[in-house]
Amino acid sequence: EYTDTVAEIALLEEEVAALQAQIALPQTAADYELLQQLCAEVEEKEAKLARAMERWVELAEEQGDIDETGGE
């Protein structure tokens, strides 16, 4: 599960970056509906990313990779 969570985090980070790059394009700014859709997708992916990162911390603590104060 730890490895799957790390992979999920990496994938979500890539997806968020790609969406943010698309949002930054001038043609996206000119298309209000597309901009809304992309922003909603970013919010959804960022929420999933936050949950995955929380799970990663739990798993890392269980494995002893990080201590409970957040240090490595």
Side-chain angles (χ1 to χ4, degrees):
E1 184 179 4
Y2 181 86
T3 304
D4 291 342
T5 302
V6 170
E8 180 183 9
I9 289 170
L11 178 64
L12 288 167
E13 287 176 335
E14 288 176 17
E15 290 174 349
V16 167
L19 287 166
Q20 289 173 334
Q22 191 173 353
I23 287 170
L25 296 173
Q27 60 267 34
T28 302
D31 186 340
Y32 179 74
E33 288 181 14
L34 177 59
L35 184 60
Q36 269 191 317
Q37 175 189 347
L38 293 173
C39 287
E41 287 182 44
V42 167
E43 285 183 27
E44 177 186 330
K45 300 280 184 192
E46 286 179 336
K48 287 181 181 180
L49 179 59
R51 288 191 298 273
M53 292 183 92
E54 287 173 12
R55 183 63 184 144
W56 172 81
V57 169
E58 292 170 5
L59 293 169
E61 286 174 352
E62 289 172 10
Q63 292 185 358
D65 288 347
I66 59 176
D67 63 35
E68 294 185 18
T69 61
E72 290 192 33

